[in-house]
């Protein structure tokens, strides 16, 4: 057989093999054919992430230039002094260095190195080391704003992703659009020269301008840290809100996770206690029930109720918190003395469907829509499932579970003239690329209680503070405070733990035209279980600083 014939048959075999392969790919089994992406090489470069600011453009989260460090492992193996230098400068453990030295070629040995450390290693460039510019998040407010701001970690594909708070809620807006370059490639994914299929330029992420006032945030943080230590509490939390607008000027819990070292924490540490966790509000819930009864004309502030002893509900007895009884007391005294017996008798004047209607109108059956990741809803039974004892304990804030955010939103109705407002931590978004502001859509306030009811409630809440059985030497003199203490036992496996409480105080100033509304909560304080002896003093310490900051003039 001639050489020409052999070549012909080899060519024919090759040709038929290609035809057969194409037949299998396109006709017999098209779904398992080689994807087009196999012959397209895609390069992706992340965009610069948007930044987060507080009021007056105070930076809360910024982008900081950093460098990923690469080392020539083959050369590093024979350079012990450089190994020691890298371990010292980059905080590389001995075990990590040993693992790196078992590799070869160029390898990344450290992420996100600051400029100062890069400068310290610059003399080893480019023979031993190389540096790749990147960006990382810088949080000037650190852990005090952890639940508010969140952090940027990595997703399953290793790409930057926002988690918790604003970083999580606005991850897509903050991330922007990365640069994508598509090039024709061979079977092994190597790009052809000039084989550009498409190119999309990076679009920087949007900036978020929040309603947070960093001065107020620092005031709250300082008082909470002092309170947690003083009262030996597991945690202290607070929210400060403008009741007329729903704008939140401070939101903090201490202690909190450290956004700069988030990898050291578990998932449970990232749960926002003010937005993503529910609790029984206790006596801070009582004014809402009183307002319902006033609105329905079932009571007047002067209406008397018999508190001569416990009230019997089926097989249960509801007692006062200290088992002390005062005979005939009016509505004002019920709030001043925080009488559970009196509250049961008030709610018994209301039909269940009426109370359920107000709970819905106060936003207690639904999430608020605040711009923070992970908001959870309340745990309140449907009114058809309320047993008599459920209905009774509802009157003093037990047997239901709501978020602190839901409570302060509902209480704002009593402070702002009777309207339900949407709580918010965002003022607007800003596009630096186009120098344009993106306004935030606002919801119209919805009236829940009449002006008459609100006027009566302000008098009752003022008396609750001024005639309280507790005494607060740190309460600023000459100012009209409205508020209510709360102490709720912690339910554990179907019963209440008598040694664990959630102590709280919610109040606003001034009573007639409030500048701020503040909720303070301590979880499991050991020095005293009562909100009047823990949360209330912290509230007044915060108020004292806010009076100076806002230059609020005395009322009398």
């Amino acid at each position: 057989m001639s050489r020409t014939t052999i070549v012909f048959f080899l060519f024919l075999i090759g040709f038929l093999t290609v035809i057969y392969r194409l037949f299998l790919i396109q006709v017999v089994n098209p779904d398992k054919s080689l994807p087009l992406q196999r012959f397209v090489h895609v390069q992706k470069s992340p965009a610069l992430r948007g930044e987060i600011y507080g009021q007056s453009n105070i930076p809360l989260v910024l982008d900081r230039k950093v460098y990923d460090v690469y080392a020539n492992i083959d050369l590093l193996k024979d350079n012990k002094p450089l190994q020691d230098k890298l371990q010292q400068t980059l905080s590389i453990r001995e075990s990590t260095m040993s693992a790196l030295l078992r590799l070869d070629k160029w390898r990344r040995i450290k992420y996100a190195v600051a400029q100062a450390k890069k400068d310290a290693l610059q003399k080893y460039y480019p023979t031993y080391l190389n540096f790749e510019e990147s960006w990382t998040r810088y949080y000037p407010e650190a852990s005090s704003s952890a639940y508010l701001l969140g952090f940027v970690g990595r997703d399953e594909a290793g790409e930057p992703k926002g988690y918790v708070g604003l970083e999580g809620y606005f991850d897509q807006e903050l991330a922007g659009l990365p640069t994508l370059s598509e090039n024709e490639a061979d079977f092994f994914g190597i790009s052809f020269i000039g084989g550009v299929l498409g190119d999309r330029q990076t679009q920087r992420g949007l900036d978020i301008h929040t309603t947070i006032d960093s001065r107020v945030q620092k005031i709250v943080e300082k008082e909470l840290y002092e309170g947690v230590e003083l009262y030996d509490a597991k945690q202290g939390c607070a929210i400060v809100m403008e009741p007329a607008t729903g704008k939140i000027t401070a939101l903090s819990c201490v202690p909190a996770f450290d956004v700069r070292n988030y990898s050291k924490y578990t998932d449970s540490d990232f749960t926002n206690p003010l937005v993503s966790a529910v609790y029984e509000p206790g006596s801070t819930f009582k004014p809402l029930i009183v307002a319902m009864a006033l609105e329905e004309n079932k009571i007047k502030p002067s209406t008397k109720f018999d508190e001569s002893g416990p009230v019997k509900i089926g097989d249960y007895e509801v007692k006062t918190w200290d088992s002390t009884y005062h005979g005939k007391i009016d509505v004002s005294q019920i709030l001043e003395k925080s009488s559970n017996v009196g509250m049961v008798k008030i709610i018994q004047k209301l039909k269940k469907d009426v109370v359920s209607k107000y709970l819905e109108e106060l936003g207690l059956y639904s999430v608020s829509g605040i711009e923070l990741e992970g908001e959870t809803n309340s745990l309140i039974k449907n009114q058809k499932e309320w047993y008599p004892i459920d209905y009774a304990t509802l009157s003093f804030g037990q047997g239901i579970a709501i978020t602190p955010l839901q409570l302060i939103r509902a209480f704002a109705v009593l402070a702002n003239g009777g309207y339900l407002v949407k709580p918010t931590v965002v003022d607007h978004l800003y596009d630096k690329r186009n120098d344009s502001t993106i306004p935030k859509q606002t919801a119209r306030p919805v009236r829940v209680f009449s002006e008459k009811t609100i006027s009566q409630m302000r008098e009752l809440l003022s008396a609750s503070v001024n005639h309280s059985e507790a005494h607060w030497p740190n309460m600023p003199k000459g100012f009209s405070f409205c508020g209510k203490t709360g102490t709720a036992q912690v339910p554990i496996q179907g019963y209440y733990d008598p040694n664990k409480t959630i102590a709280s105080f919610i109040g606003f100033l001034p009573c007639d035209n409030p500048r701020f509304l503040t909720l303070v909560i301590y979880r499991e304080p050991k020095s005293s279980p009562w909100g009047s002896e823990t949360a209330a003093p912290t509230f007044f310490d915060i108020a004292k600083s806010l009076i100076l900051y806002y230059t609020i003039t005395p009322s009398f």
Side-chain angles (χ1 to χ4, degrees), residues 35-45 179-201:
L36 175 62
Q37 287 82 352
R38 182 69 176 270
F39 303 102
V40 176
H41 183 239
V42 179
Q43 283 187 309
K44 182 179 179 180
S45 301
T179 296
L180 290 179
S181 299
E182 295 183 342
N183 294 271
E184 290 181 296
D186 60 17
F187 185 82
F188 299 101
I190 300 174
S191 300
F192 295 132
I193 296 175
V196 178
L197 294 175
D199 188 38
R200 184 184 73 192
Q201 293 301 311

Side-chain angles (χ1 to χ4, degrees), residues 298-310:
K298 298 298 182 181
I299 62 171
K300 297 177 180 178
S302 59
T303 302
K304 299 276 189 178
F305 291 90
D306 183 14
E307 193 213 44
S308 56

Side-chain angles (χ1 to χ4, degrees), residues 349-365:
K349 288 182 169 291
L350 294 166
K351 293 182 179 179
K352 291 181 180 179
D353 61 340
V354 172
V355 172
S356 181
K357 174 183 77 76
Y358 281 114
L359 293 179
E360 183 173 357
E361 291 179 356
L362 289 167
L364 296 172
Y365 278 138

Side-chain angles (χ1 to χ4, degrees), residues 14 41 54 271 422 467 512:
H41 183 239
T271 300
K422 182 181 181 298
H467 302 152
D512 290 339

